[in-house]
Structures are given as C-alpha cells and as structure tokens.
Amino acid sequence: MSHPAFVANNLAVVTGAASGIGLAAARHFASLGMRVVLADLAGDKLDRAAADVAALSAAGTAGVAAIATDVSRIDQIESLEREARERFGDVHVLMNNAGIQPGSTILGPLAAWEATLGVNLWGVINGSRVFASGMIAHGNPAVIINTGSKQGITTPPGDPAYNVSKAGVKVFTEALEHELRNTAGSQVHAHLLIPGFVYTGLTAGGRTEKPAGAWTSEQTVDFMMESLARGDFYILCPDNDVPRATDERRILWAAGDIVENRPPLSRWHPKYADAFKAFLDKDRD
C-alpha cells in the first residue's frame, strides 16, 4: 500500500531533478500517473530530464514541466511555486532534493561555504516555507521530502560546509514535521531522506561505472517509497557496503561524544580507535 499523496493526477515538484536521485524520483512519480514539475538549473540536462520523464507519463508532455530554478534564491522558489500551481493546481508532493558539494575546509574559500549553504540548506528552508502553506490549505494528504545526508548526522572530517548544510537540513526538517503535525487541519507531513552511498553525478568522483558498494538512484527511491508508505520520518537508507546496523552504531557513537564528554569526532581520534571498533563490533554474530 502506498502513501495517499502518491496517486494519479496529484502533483509532485522535485528540485535537483535533472539527474541522480531527483531524476529517479521524478521518473517514479510520473510512472504512478502523477503530474511532475522538474526544477533545476537551466540547460540541456533539465530539458533532457523533462523529456525522459514525459516519456513515462500517461499525459506525455502535458503532464510534465521543466522550470529553471536556482533554489538558493527565494524569488525563484516563489516563482517555481506560482508557476507549478498555475499550470497544474495543488501541490501534493514537494521533494527538496537539490544539492551541491564543491568541497570545503574551515579556512578555505568563503565562496564554497556560501554556495553550499545557499543550495543545500537555504534551498530546503525556502522550498518548505514557500510551498507549505498552500499544501496545508488544500486539505489533502501531502508530503515534503527533504534530502539530508549521513554526513549531517555523523559529520565526518573533510568537508565541513557540506556537513553543516546537511546537519541544518536534519534539524530544520525535524522542526518542520513537529510544526506540521501540530497545525490544525494539516494533512501535510515532512520526511528526512538520508541516502547511503548512491552512484550519482555528485558522488561519481570521475568514475564511469557504479562501484559495487553503491546503490543506484532507483534503489534509493524504491526504499524511500517503501519507507513513506510505513510513515517513517527518518528514511535511513543502507547500501551494498553499509547495513542499517552499522549506521545505527555510528550514529550512537557520534551522540555519545556529548554524553561521554569525548573529543569531537572521536571516531577519527587515534586515542579512541580501539574503543570505536569494539563498540561497532558489539553484539555482532
């Protein structure tokens, strides 16, 4: 049984839809008979993605629209919401999925920080705030899916701007769901998608073939849909290398840094290497 928002003729808006998880989601929504708006930066990739999705839509090009959008700019998010609603009506699914990872260091270029936070965090905040009121007002089941990251939970060293952006997405989406479920008459719920290792343009790193340990974008979307049908808020995806049990131990250890008063990021601290390994292996067969 699927989530009631995902029915034929309902409208889904997906940001970061020109490739990767966003495109896989748009394709899946179209295959359900939904109308789909793909939002991404202007260009051939967005146009090709829209044609690809239209080929799966029962309504063809009449059921699909590509709207060029820079999610870091609230005026463009507002334009996206207005154009989507004027063309197709009420929005039932919003997937704030757009993300970038140019790389960063604490004392590195400010531009990398501004760009990463602008797209990854402000894109989610702006999208949720701009669309939520209309989604509440139409009174039908609806969902806001925000794409986070395990890096926003366990915050590994190496790319602090990305970690900060995705940690912010987690905290924002938790607060969003709390507010939505306490809003009278609201049938809108928020969900946090936490992908595992997924082979996309963002993660390819120059590779031309999917690594054995990675999931495809389609596998990730299938898992997301199963989780939404169960009503899961935290959609914590495994992959071919990391099972859920390992993710759970890593998350618990990260939280334990505060409780146990360990150094931050102690998982990568030489003094705690043996203790972390023992904790990770605890209760394994």
Side-chain angles (χ1 to χ4, degrees):
M1 185 174 181
S2 63
H3 187 285
F6 297 91
V7 297
N9 295 318
N10 274 5
L11 173 59
V13 176
V14 184
T15 72
S19 61
I21 294 172
L23 177 55
R27 287 170 55 87
H28 186 89
F29 300 155
S31 75
L32 298 176
M34 299 182 73
R35 295 167 295 173
V36 183
V37 169
L38 294 86
D40 212 310
L41 297 177
D44 291 342
K45 281 182 64 177
L46 179 58
D47 295 338
R48 288 194 300 268
D52 183 20
V53 173
L56 297 172
S57 171
T61 56
V64 176
I67 300 177
T69 308
D70 178 349
V71 299
S72 70
R73 293 182 52 182
I74 192 167
D75 61 320
Q76 293 197 23
I77 290 284
E78 290 169 340
S79 178
L80 170 66
E81 191 273 343
R82 184 171 56 254
E83 290 185 47
R85 184 166 34 80
E86 288 175 352
R87 178 157 182 173
F88 293 120
D90 293 333
V91 177
H92 301 85
V93 176
L94 171 65
M95 188 169 180
N96 290 309
N97 172 75
I100 61 172
Q101 192 171 13
S104 67
T105 60
I106 292 293
L107 301 180
L110 181 60
W113 282 83
E114 292 176 333
T116 302
L117 293 174
V119 173
N120 297 2
L121 179 55
W122 277 108
V124 169
I125 294 172
N126 290 337
S128 300
R129 284 170 49 86
V130 168
F131 277 83
S133 294
M135 296 172 76
I136 293 169
H138 67 60
N140 295 307
V143 295
I144 297 174
I145 305 161
N146 294 334
T147 302
S149 171
K150 294 175 186 179
Q151 287 185 230
I153 301 173
T154 59
T155 61
D159 194 349
Y162 185 82
N163 292 355
V164 168
S165 71
K166 292 300 186 177
V169 170
K170 170 185 174 291
V171 174
F172 174 81
T173 309
E174 290 167 338
L176 174 64
E177 168 56 14
H178 178 79
E179 183 155 332
L180 289 171
R181 72 170 180 254
N182 285 286
T183 298
S186 173
Q187 292 201 60
V188 187
H189 289 280
H191 302 266
L192 181 66
L193 175 63
I194 313 167
F197 179 22
V198 185
Y199 182 61
T200 68
L202 191 68
T203 64
R207 290 170 291 208
T208 57
E209 294 186 3
K210 182 185 79 67
W215 268 13
T216 63
S217 296
E218 290 73 20
Q219 284 177 292
T220 302
V221 171
D222 287 344
F223 186 89
M224 178 186 80
M225 297 301 293
E226 293 167 4
S227 299
L228 289 168
R230 292 192 299 267
D232 296 348
F233 172 80
Y234 298 101
I235 305 174
L236 181 63
C237 304
D239 54 47
N240 294 334
D241 275 346
V242 182
R244 183 182 178 94
T246 298
D247 278 327
E248 290 174 351
R249 303 301 283 179
R250 290 173 175 176
I251 291 168
L252 287 169
W253 181 273
D257 280 353
I258 300 170
V259 177
E260 303 295 333
N261 197 26
R262 296 189 295 249
L265 305 184
S266 68
R267 177 177 153 195
W268 295 272
H269 193 301
K271 180 180 175 181
Y272 292 89
D274 292 341
F276 172 69
K277 184 178 185 305
F279 181 81
L280 194 63
D281 294 339
K282 185 180 179 182
D283 299 328
R284 285 185 178 176
D285 293 336

PDB file of all heavy atoms in Angstrom, residues 181-209:
ATOM      1  N   ARG A 181       2.577  18.646  12.214  1.00  0.00           N
ATOM      2  CA  ARG A 181       1.660  17.732  12.898  1.00  0.00           C
ATOM      3  C   ARG A 181       0.882  18.420  14.019  1.00  0.00           C
ATOM      4  O   ARG A 181      -0.102  17.866  14.510  1.00  0.00           O
ATOM      5  CB  ARG A 181       2.405  16.501  13.416  1.00  0.00           C
ATOM      6  CG  ARG A 181       3.327  16.718  14.604  1.00  0.00           C
ATOM      7  CD  ARG A 181       3.806  15.371  15.144  1.00  0.00           C
ATOM      8  NE  ARG A 181       4.695  15.535  16.271  1.00  0.00           N
ATOM      9  CZ  ARG A 181       6.015  15.356  16.230  1.00  0.00           C
ATOM     10  NH1 ARG A 181       6.591  15.002  15.097  1.00  0.00           N
ATOM     11  NH2 ARG A 181       6.745  15.525  17.307  1.00  0.00           N
ATOM     12  N   ASN A 182       1.311  19.607  14.399  1.00  0.00           N
ATOM     13  CA  ASN A 182       0.588  20.367  15.422  1.00  0.00           C
ATOM     14  C   ASN A 182      -0.192  21.538  14.838  1.00  0.00           C
ATOM     15  O   ASN A 182      -0.653  22.415  15.570  1.00  0.00           O
ATOM     16  CB  ASN A 182       1.566  20.863  16.486  1.00  0.00           C
ATOM     17  CG  ASN A 182       2.017  19.745  17.406  1.00  0.00           C
ATOM     18  OD1 ASN A 182       1.270  19.292  18.261  1.00  0.00           O
ATOM     19  ND2 ASN A 182       3.250  19.279  17.204  1.00  0.00           N
ATOM     20  N   THR A 183      -0.336  21.559  13.514  1.00  0.00           N
ATOM     21  CA  THR A 183      -1.131  22.588  12.844  1.00  0.00           C
ATOM     22  C   THR A 183      -2.529  22.050  12.588  1.00  0.00           C
ATOM     23  O   THR A 183      -2.682  21.013  11.924  1.00  0.00           O
ATOM     24  CB  THR A 183      -0.473  23.001  11.515  1.00  0.00           C
ATOM     25  OG1 THR A 183       0.815  23.570  11.776  1.00  0.00           O
ATOM     26  CG2 THR A 183      -1.332  24.016  10.773  1.00  0.00           C
ATOM     27  N   ALA A 184      -3.533  22.708  13.107  1.00  0.00           N
ATOM     28  CA  ALA A 184      -4.910  22.236  12.976  1.00  0.00           C
ATOM     29  C   ALA A 184      -5.296  22.095  11.506  1.00  0.00           C
ATOM     30  O   ALA A 184      -5.076  23.000  10.698  1.00  0.00           O
ATOM     31  CB  ALA A 184      -5.856  23.213  13.669  1.00  0.00           C
ATOM     32  N   GLY A 185      -5.862  20.952  11.188  1.00  0.00           N
ATOM     33  CA  GLY A 185      -6.328  20.701   9.835  1.00  0.00           C
ATOM     34  C   GLY A 185      -5.263  20.271   8.847  1.00  0.00           C
ATOM     35  O   GLY A 185      -5.581  19.954   7.699  1.00  0.00           O
ATOM     36  N   SER A 186      -4.009  20.257   9.257  1.00  0.00           N
ATOM     37  CA  SER A 186      -2.925  19.907   8.334  1.00  0.00           C
ATOM     38  C   SER A 186      -2.898  18.401   8.066  1.00  0.00           C
ATOM     39  O   SER A 186      -2.943  17.592   8.987  1.00  0.00           O
ATOM     40  CB  SER A 186      -1.573  20.334   8.900  1.00  0.00           C
ATOM     41  OG  SER A 186      -0.517  19.848   8.080  1.00  0.00           O
ATOM     42  N   GLN A 187      -2.828  18.058   6.804  1.00  0.00           N
ATOM     43  CA  GLN A 187      -2.587  16.669   6.398  1.00  0.00           C
ATOM     44  C   GLN A 187      -1.233  16.545   5.692  1.00  0.00           C
ATOM     45  O   GLN A 187      -1.015  15.622   4.917  1.00  0.00           O
ATOM     46  CB  GLN A 187      -3.711  16.169   5.496  1.00  0.00           C
ATOM     47  CG  GLN A 187      -5.048  16.017   6.201  1.00  0.00           C
ATOM     48  CD  GLN A 187      -5.959  15.063   5.452  1.00  0.00           C
ATOM     49  OE1 GLN A 187      -5.647  13.893   5.253  1.00  0.00           O
ATOM     50  NE2 GLN A 187      -7.093  15.575   5.022  1.00  0.00           N
ATOM     51  N   VAL A 188      -0.364  17.503   5.991  1.00  0.00           N
ATOM     52  CA  VAL A 188       0.977  17.515   5.399  1.00  0.00           C
ATOM     53  C   VAL A 188       1.970  17.000   6.422  1.00  0.00           C
ATOM     54  O   VAL A 188       1.917  17.376   7.598  1.00  0.00           O
ATOM     55  CB  VAL A 188       1.387  18.938   4.968  1.00  0.00           C
ATOM     56  CG1 VAL A 188       2.714  18.903   4.208  1.00  0.00           C
ATOM     57  CG2 VAL A 188       0.299  19.584   4.126  1.00  0.00           C
ATOM     58  N   HIS A 189       2.869  16.132   5.989  1.00  0.00           N
ATOM     59  CA  HIS A 189       3.939  15.642   6.861  1.00  0.00           C
ATOM     60  C   HIS A 189       5.283  15.797   6.158  1.00  0.00           C
ATOM     61  O   HIS A 189       5.373  15.714   4.932  1.00  0.00           O
ATOM     62  CB  HIS A 189       3.705  14.176   7.237  1.00  0.00           C
ATOM     63  CG  HIS A 189       2.564  13.996   8.183  1.00  0.00           C
ATOM     64  ND1 HIS A 189       2.676  14.221   9.537  1.00  0.00           N
ATOM     65  CD2 HIS A 189       1.275  13.638   7.955  1.00  0.00           C
ATOM     66  CE1 HIS A 189       1.517  13.996  10.116  1.00  0.00           C
ATOM     67  NE2 HIS A 189       0.645  13.653   9.187  1.00  0.00           N
ATOM     68  N   ALA A 190       6.312  16.043   6.946  1.00  0.00           N
ATOM     69  CA  ALA A 190       7.675  16.157   6.433  1.00  0.00           C
ATOM     70  C   ALA A 190       8.434  14.863   6.702  1.00  0.00           C
ATOM     71  O   ALA A 190       8.160  14.161   7.683  1.00  0.00           O
ATOM     72  CB  ALA A 190       8.390  17.333   7.091  1.00  0.00           C
ATOM     73  N   HIS A 191       9.387  14.575   5.844  1.00  0.00           N
ATOM     74  CA  HIS A 191      10.206  13.372   5.968  1.00  0.00           C
ATOM     75  C   HIS A 191      11.637  13.714   5.587  1.00  0.00           C
ATOM     76  O   HIS A 191      11.871  14.526   4.683  1.00  0.00           O
ATOM     77  CB  HIS A 191       9.682  12.263   5.056  1.00  0.00           C
ATOM     78  CG  HIS A 191       8.257  11.887   5.323  1.00  0.00           C
ATOM     79  ND1 HIS A 191       7.905  10.848   6.151  1.00  0.00           N
ATOM     80  CD2 HIS A 191       7.097  12.453   4.880  1.00  0.00           C
ATOM     81  CE1 HIS A 191       6.582  10.775   6.201  1.00  0.00           C
ATOM     82  NE2 HIS A 191       6.066  11.730   5.443  1.00  0.00           N
ATOM     83  N   LEU A 192      12.587  13.084   6.266  1.00  0.00           N
ATOM     84  CA  LEU A 192      14.006  13.311   6.006  1.00  0.00           C
ATOM     85  C   LEU A 192      14.585  12.109   5.278  1.00  0.00           C
ATOM     86  O   LEU A 192      14.689  11.019   5.853  1.00  0.00           O
ATOM     87  CB  LEU A 192      14.756  13.542   7.324  1.00  0.00           C
ATOM     88  CG  LEU A 192      16.253  13.825   7.202  1.00  0.00           C
ATOM     89  CD1 LEU A 192      16.508  15.162   6.507  1.00  0.00           C
ATOM     90  CD2 LEU A 192      16.921  13.805   8.579  1.00  0.00           C
ATOM     91  N   LEU A 193      14.948  12.297   4.017  1.00  0.00           N
ATOM     92  CA  LEU A 193      15.609  11.248   3.246  1.00  0.00           C
ATOM     93  C   LEU A 193      17.102  11.291   3.544  1.00  0.00           C
ATOM     94  O   LEU A 193      17.746  12.328   3.376  1.00  0.00           O
ATOM     95  CB  LEU A 193      15.359  11.452   1.748  1.00  0.00           C
ATOM     96  CG  LEU A 193      16.095  10.494   0.807  1.00  0.00           C
ATOM     97  CD1 LEU A 193      15.656   9.050   1.039  1.00  0.00           C
ATOM     98  CD2 LEU A 193      15.878  10.900  -0.650  1.00  0.00           C
ATOM     99  N   ILE A 194      17.641  10.153   3.990  1.00  0.00           N
ATOM    100  CA  ILE A 194      19.062  10.058   4.348  1.00  0.00           C
ATOM    101  C   ILE A 194      19.683   8.964   3.477  1.00  0.00           C
ATOM    102  O   ILE A 194      19.725   7.796   3.852  1.00  0.00           O
ATOM    103  CB  ILE A 194      19.242   9.727   5.844  1.00  0.00           C
ATOM    104  CG1 ILE A 194      18.354  10.627   6.708  1.00  0.00           C
ATOM    105  CG2 ILE A 194      20.708   9.852   6.253  1.00  0.00           C
ATOM    106  CD1 ILE A 194      18.232  10.156   8.151  1.00  0.00           C
ATOM    107  N   PRO A 195      20.147   9.325   2.275  1.00  0.00           N
ATOM    108  CA  PRO A 195      20.698   8.295   1.377  1.00  0.00           C
ATOM    109  C   PRO A 195      21.968   7.673   1.938  1.00  0.00           C
ATOM    110  O   PRO A 195      22.709   8.284   2.720  1.00  0.00           O
ATOM    111  CB  PRO A 195      20.995   9.079   0.097  1.00  0.00           C
ATOM    112  CG  PRO A 195      20.187  10.338   0.202  1.00  0.00           C
ATOM    113  CD  PRO A 195      20.135  10.654   1.664  1.00  0.00           C
ATOM    114  N   GLY A 196      22.231   6.450   1.510  1.00  0.00           N
ATOM    115  CA  GLY A 196      23.525   5.838   1.738  1.00  0.00           C
ATOM    116  C   GLY A 196      24.460   6.243   0.598  1.00  0.00           C
ATOM    117  O   GLY A 196      24.348   7.337   0.038  1.00  0.00           O
ATOM    118  N   PHE A 197      25.374   5.367   0.250  1.00  0.00           N
ATOM    119  CA  PHE A 197      26.280   5.621  -0.868  1.00  0.00           C
ATOM    120  C   PHE A 197      25.501   5.353  -2.151  1.00  0.00           C
ATOM    121  O   PHE A 197      25.134   4.222  -2.456  1.00  0.00           O
ATOM    122  CB  PHE A 197      27.499   4.710  -0.763  1.00  0.00           C
ATOM    123  CG  PHE A 197      28.508   4.853  -1.878  1.00  0.00           C
ATOM    124  CD1 PHE A 197      28.597   6.004  -2.645  1.00  0.00           C
ATOM    125  CD2 PHE A 197      29.392   3.814  -2.160  1.00  0.00           C
ATOM    126  CE1 PHE A 197      29.520   6.137  -3.660  1.00  0.00           C
ATOM    127  CE2 PHE A 197      30.331   3.935  -3.168  1.00  0.00           C
ATOM    128  CZ  PHE A 197      30.397   5.088  -3.927  1.00  0.00           C
ATOM    129  N   VAL A 198      25.211   6.439  -2.894  1.00  0.00           N
ATOM    130  CA  VAL A 198      24.444   6.345  -4.126  1.00  0.00           C
ATOM    131  C   VAL A 198      25.316   6.844  -5.270  1.00  0.00           C
ATOM    132  O   VAL A 198      25.943   7.902  -5.167  1.00  0.00           O
ATOM    133  CB  VAL A 198      23.147   7.186  -4.051  1.00  0.00           C
ATOM    134  CG1 VAL A 198      22.306   6.972  -5.312  1.00  0.00           C
ATOM    135  CG2 VAL A 198      22.350   6.829  -2.809  1.00  0.00           C
ATOM    136  N   TYR A 199      25.352   6.094  -6.346  1.00  0.00           N
ATOM    137  CA  TYR A 199      26.166   6.483  -7.501  1.00  0.00           C
ATOM    138  C   TYR A 199      25.406   7.525  -8.325  1.00  0.00           C
ATOM    139  O   TYR A 199      24.452   7.217  -9.034  1.00  0.00           O
ATOM    140  CB  TYR A 199      26.486   5.264  -8.356  1.00  0.00           C
ATOM    141  CG  TYR A 199      27.358   5.569  -9.555  1.00  0.00           C
ATOM    142  CD1 TYR A 199      28.630   6.094  -9.384  1.00  0.00           C
ATOM    143  CD2 TYR A 199      26.913   5.317 -10.848  1.00  0.00           C
ATOM    144  CE1 TYR A 199      29.440   6.376 -10.481  1.00  0.00           C
ATOM    145  CE2 TYR A 199      27.711   5.585 -11.946  1.00  0.00           C
ATOM    146  CZ  TYR A 199      28.976   6.118 -11.754  1.00  0.00           C
ATOM    147  OH  TYR A 199      29.776   6.386 -12.846  1.00  0.00           O
ATOM    148  N   THR A 200      25.806   8.775  -8.186  1.00  0.00           N
ATOM    149  CA  THR A 200      25.217   9.886  -8.936  1.00  0.00           C
ATOM    150  C   THR A 200      26.342  10.775  -9.444  1.00  0.00           C
ATOM    151  O   THR A 200      27.520  10.557  -9.124  1.00  0.00           O
ATOM    152  CB  THR A 200      24.286  10.734  -8.039  1.00  0.00           C
ATOM    153  OG1 THR A 200      25.082  11.422  -7.057  1.00  0.00           O
ATOM    154  CG2 THR A 200      23.239   9.864  -7.338  1.00  0.00           C
ATOM    155  N   GLY A 201      25.978  11.802 -10.184  1.00  0.00           N
ATOM    156  CA  GLY A 201      26.982  12.759 -10.647  1.00  0.00           C
ATOM    157  C   GLY A 201      27.694  13.434  -9.501  1.00  0.00           C
ATOM    158  O   GLY A 201      28.873  13.788  -9.594  1.00  0.00           O
ATOM    159  N   LEU A 202      26.987  13.607  -8.365  1.00  0.00           N
ATOM    160  CA  LEU A 202      27.581  14.264  -7.199  1.00  0.00           C
ATOM    161  C   LEU A 202      28.648  13.402  -6.544  1.00  0.00           C
ATOM    162  O   LEU A 202      29.618  13.912  -5.988  1.00  0.00           O
ATOM    163  CB  LEU A 202      26.476  14.588  -6.178  1.00  0.00           C
ATOM    164  CG  LEU A 202      26.856  15.510  -5.015  1.00  0.00           C
ATOM    165  CD1 LEU A 202      27.122  16.919  -5.518  1.00  0.00           C
ATOM    166  CD2 LEU A 202      25.742  15.527  -3.972  1.00  0.00           C
ATOM    167  N   THR A 203      28.476  12.082  -6.610  1.00  0.00           N
ATOM    168  CA  THR A 203      29.376  11.168  -5.904  1.00  0.00           C
ATOM    169  C   THR A 203      30.318  10.402  -6.823  1.00  0.00           C
ATOM    170  O   THR A 203      31.172   9.659  -6.340  1.00  0.00           O
ATOM    171  CB  THR A 203      28.567  10.138  -5.087  1.00  0.00           C
ATOM    172  OG1 THR A 203      27.804   9.312  -5.989  1.00  0.00           O
ATOM    173  CG2 THR A 203      27.618  10.834  -4.122  1.00  0.00           C
ATOM    174  N   ALA A 204      30.173  10.570  -8.129  1.00  0.00           N
ATOM    175  CA  ALA A 204      30.932   9.740  -9.066  1.00  0.00           C
ATOM    176  C   ALA A 204      32.436   9.915  -8.921  1.00  0.00           C
ATOM    177  O   ALA A 204      33.203   8.957  -9.042  1.00  0.00           O
ATOM    178  CB  ALA A 204      30.506  10.040 -10.500  1.00  0.00           C
ATOM    179  N   GLY A 205      32.877  11.139  -8.672  1.00  0.00           N
ATOM    180  CA  GLY A 205      34.307  11.388  -8.498  1.00  0.00           C
ATOM    181  C   GLY A 205      35.150  10.942  -9.669  1.00  0.00           C
ATOM    182  O   GLY A 205      36.255  10.412  -9.497  1.00  0.00           O
ATOM    183  N   GLY A 206      34.638  11.123 -10.876  1.00  0.00           N
ATOM    184  CA  GLY A 206      35.379  10.739 -12.068  1.00  0.00           C
ATOM    185  C   GLY A 206      35.156   9.305 -12.512  1.00  0.00           C
ATOM    186  O   GLY A 206      35.581   8.915 -13.599  1.00  0.00           O
ATOM    187  N   ARG A 207      34.476   8.490 -11.690  1.00  0.00           N
ATOM    188  CA  ARG A 207      34.207   7.104 -12.071  1.00  0.00           C
ATOM    189  C   ARG A 207      33.125   7.048 -13.137  1.00  0.00           C
ATOM    190  O   ARG A 207      32.166   7.820 -13.111  1.00  0.00           O
ATOM    191  CB  ARG A 207      33.762   6.293 -10.847  1.00  0.00           C
ATOM    192  CG  ARG A 207      34.884   6.056  -9.842  1.00  0.00           C
ATOM    193  CD  ARG A 207      34.374   5.464  -8.550  1.00  0.00           C
ATOM    194  NE  ARG A 207      33.564   6.431  -7.810  1.00  0.00           N
ATOM    195  CZ  ARG A 207      33.437   6.436  -6.491  1.00  0.00           C
ATOM    196  NH1 ARG A 207      34.042   5.524  -5.760  1.00  0.00           N
ATOM    197  NH2 ARG A 207      32.674   7.334  -5.896  1.00  0.00           N
ATOM    198  N   THR A 208      33.261   6.116 -14.058  1.00  0.00           N
ATOM    199  CA  THR A 208      32.274   5.963 -15.121  1.00  0.00           C
ATOM    200  C   THR A 208      31.386   4.744 -14.914  1.00  0.00           C
ATOM    201  O   THR A 208      30.434   4.545 -15.675  1.00  0.00           O
ATOM    202  CB  THR A 208      32.973   5.842 -16.492  1.00  0.00           C
ATOM    203  OG1 THR A 208      33.889   4.744 -16.450  1.00  0.00           O
ATOM    204  CG2 THR A 208      33.726   7.122 -16.818  1.00  0.00           C
ATOM    205  N   GLU A 209      31.691   3.930 -13.913  1.00  0.00           N
ATOM    206  CA  GLU A 209      30.859   2.770 -13.593  1.00  0.00           C
ATOM    207  C   GLU A 209      30.514   2.783 -12.116  1.00  0.00           C
ATOM    208  O   GLU A 209      31.317   3.204 -11.277  1.00  0.00           O
ATOM    209  CB  GLU A 209      31.582   1.458 -13.940  1.00  0.00           C
ATOM    210  CG  GLU A 209      31.832   1.267 -15.422  1.00  0.00           C
ATOM    211  CD  GLU A 209      32.420  -0.102 -15.724  1.00  0.00           C
ATOM    212  OE1 GLU A 209      32.576  -0.908 -14.786  1.00  0.00           O
ATOM    213  OE2 GLU A 209      32.739  -0.353 -16.893  1.00  0.00           O
TER     214      GLU A 209
END
